[in-house]
Amino acid sequence: MKKIICVLTFLVFSLAGVFAATDIPLLKSAKESGITFYWDSLSETGILEKNGHQVTFRKDENILLLDSETMIVSESAVIKHNQVYVSQKFLDDTLNFFNKNNSTMFKVGAIVIDAGHGGKDPGALKTYTVNKKSITVREKDVNLKVAKLLAQRLKASYPDKKIILTRDKDVFLSLGERTDIANNVKVEKNEAVLFISIHQNSSLNKSSSGYEVWYLSPGYRRNVLDKSAVEDDQSLYQILNIMLEEEYTTESIMIAKFIMDGLAAQIGKESKPRGIKAEEWFVVKNANMPSVLIELGFVSNEKEAMLLNDDKYLKKATLGIYNGIAAFITHFERSRGFTTNEN
């Protein structure tokens, strides 16, 4: 977990930047400075990135969160003409931070792969008769196959990262046990943990088909910050917790998009993308880190169930998920020369 260290007092926070002249378009200035700018219109939160470092901010709030561990008082950003505008002080503070930290700092330290269901909990299941042969497709079995294939690929490509399976055999784990495994992973101070939960879908409508990726709804708020991390400024806990949670949400959306793109490239027309969606799944909302839940297909659709029962198809789908995670890691770490393992 990234730890927040408050270095300025609440009094300074309250007084600074109230009358800032915000007349500089941030998107244009960021491009000119080689800074990547992400904006989440739902939460009205922005992230600036350069050389693996991040500055997080919210509209109308005059603090900047630097690399999710240090706070400084600056001047607030505003929305005008559907664009984000900032002051010269905001730009100076941001550029000073990036100039002082010009080497890549953050990395993904661990990836937790959760094979949904297991043991006494089979998840979705359906039995079909194909060529006079009875075939039962169980969600728990498909989830485990994909999780193990994904872990194998990730371990081969990232020997420096912890690749953790919540289960590697047909055993039952409660939802709480799964998120406890993820939340208790030990990584270095500047390393992130990713949580990927694998599932299959089911519907009363037998024609429903396709794959989708879920992330935590931006409307849900959770405690991702230890109150002890804000030292004596307990009054700042709520705003800092919101900013860190929104950063996790933004990163989760990015992971979801990369995985959807990866699946589409590998699966092609064999199944259809149903899009990226937001929901308050237990394993997602209780994992205090960037996290997504993948619904790879519908067991209730006979054609798709036969695909999910086909090892060749699952290898392609797994490669799509892997490529999506790899793309996110590349983005997050700003590494060069990454090569996909095609074995």
Side-chain angles (χ1 to χ4, degrees):
M1 287 289 297
K2 305 170 185 175
K3 185 175 181 182
I4 309 295
I5 304 172
C6 295
V7 296
L8 298 175
T9 66
F10 181 69
L11 177 61
V12 176
F13 162 74
S14 300
L15 298 177
V18 176
F19 302 107
T22 49
D23 54 6
I24 302 172
L26 182 55
L27 179 60
K28 179 181 177 182
S29 297
K31 285 182 177 179
E32 291 173 351
S33 302
I35 298 171
T36 303
F37 174 35
Y38 300 95
W39 179 253
D40 183 350
S41 59
L42 291 176
S43 64
E44 297 185 316
T45 301
I47 296 178
L48 298 169
E49 288 189 349
K50 188 173 183 179
N51 296 326
H53 295 273
Q54 292 185 342
V55 174
T56 305
F57 64 95
R58 298 186 77 204
K59 189 194 81 166
D60 297 331
E61 293 180 357
N62 58 350
I63 65 172
L64 303 179
L65 197 56
L66 311 179
D67 282 345
S68 297
E69 60 177 19
T70 304
M71 179 196 76
I72 66 169
V73 175
S74 185
E75 293 176 347
S76 57
V78 300
I79 303 294
K80 297 189 294 187
H81 313 299
N82 293 321
Q83 291 191 57
V84 180
Y85 283 80
V86 297
S87 67
Q88 187 61 50
K89 175 172 172 50
F90 180 104
L91 279 183
D92 290 343
D93 289 340
T94 300
L95 290 171
N96 285 339
F97 169 69
F98 286 134
N99 289 337
K100 289 178 181 178
N101 298 274
N102 56 11
S103 60
T104 300
M105 182 178 180
F106 281 128
K107 64 179 289 189
V108 173
I111 303 168
V112 179
I113 306 167
D114 174 45
H117 306 280
K120 65 182 182 181
D121 175 17
L125 66 99
K126 185 75 174 178
T127 300
Y128 299 95
T129 301
V130 180
N131 297 326
K132 298 183 179 181
K133 182 181 179 181
S134 179
I135 299 175
T136 300
V137 181
R138 297 177 180 84
E139 180 185 356
K140 68 174 184 177
D141 298 332
V142 179
N143 295 342
L144 186 56
K145 281 184 180 180
V146 173
K148 292 172 76 172
L149 286 170
L150 181 59
Q152 183 181 2
R153 281 190 171 275
L154 289 169
K155 286 178 181 179
S157 293
Y158 300 104
D160 60 321
K161 304 184 189 306
K162 296 180 181 178
I163 310 300
I164 299 165
L165 287 163
T166 57
R167 66 180 182 97
D168 60 3
K169 54 188 175 183
D170 186 19
V171 295
F172 173 78
L173 292 175
S174 69
L175 297 176
E177 287 175 315
R178 295 170 189 274
T179 53
D180 284 346
I181 290 172
N183 291 333
N184 288 321
V185 173
K186 303 299 182 184
V187 292
E188 297 298 322
K189 176 181 177 182
N190 297 318
E191 292 182 339
V193 181
L194 308 182
F195 184 80
I196 313 295
S197 191
I198 310 294
H199 286 259
Q200 312 305 314
N201 224 329
S202 184
S203 174
L204 293 176
N205 184 351
K206 295 180 181 180
S207 65
S208 296
S209 64
Y211 53 90
E212 54 200 21
V213 186
W214 295 79
Y215 65 94
L216 183 67
S217 167
Y220 181 86
R221 287 288 170 259
R222 53 185 171 168
N223 292 328
V224 296
L225 172 63
D226 184 348
K227 287 188 177 181
S228 66
V230 297
E231 297 179 346
D232 296 330
D233 287 334
Q234 292 297 317
S235 55
L236 292 177
Y237 172 79
Q238 183 176 6
I239 188 170
L240 290 172
N241 184 77
I242 288 173
M243 289 181 73
L244 186 57
E245 195 279 333
E246 286 171 348
E247 181 178 324
Y248 286 164
T249 300
T250 300
E251 291 169 349
S252 297
I253 293 171
M254 292 174 62
I255 297 170
K257 182 182 185 306
F258 283 130
I259 289 176
M260 283 294 295
D261 290 345
L263 286 169
Q266 293 301 318
I267 292 175
K269 295 181 180 180
E270 291 187 81
S271 184
K272 64 181 181 182
R274 293 168 60 89
I276 299 169
K277 302 180 180 182
E279 184 56 273
E280 296 170 17
W281 298 106
F282 184 95
V283 291
V284 174
K285 75 179 183 180
N286 288 286
N288 296 333
M289 61 200 65
S291 49
V292 296
L293 185 147
I294 303 167
E295 295 275 14
L296 196 53
F298 280 77
V299 172
S300 52
N301 180 299
E302 182 173 356
K303 179 182 176 182
E304 197 149 83
M306 292 304 101
L307 288 175
L308 298 173
N309 196 52
D310 182 351
D311 288 345
K312 287 181 64 177
Y313 180 82
L314 292 185
K315 286 180 179 179
K316 286 194 292 186
T318 301
L319 180 57
I321 298 170
Y322 163 82
N323 284 341
I325 295 171
F328 176 80
I329 292 173
T330 301
H331 156 79
F332 189 80
E333 298 180 348
R334 287 293 188 268
S335 62
R336 301 295 181 186
F338 179 82
T339 302
T340 301
N341 181 0
E342 293 292 341
N343 293 332

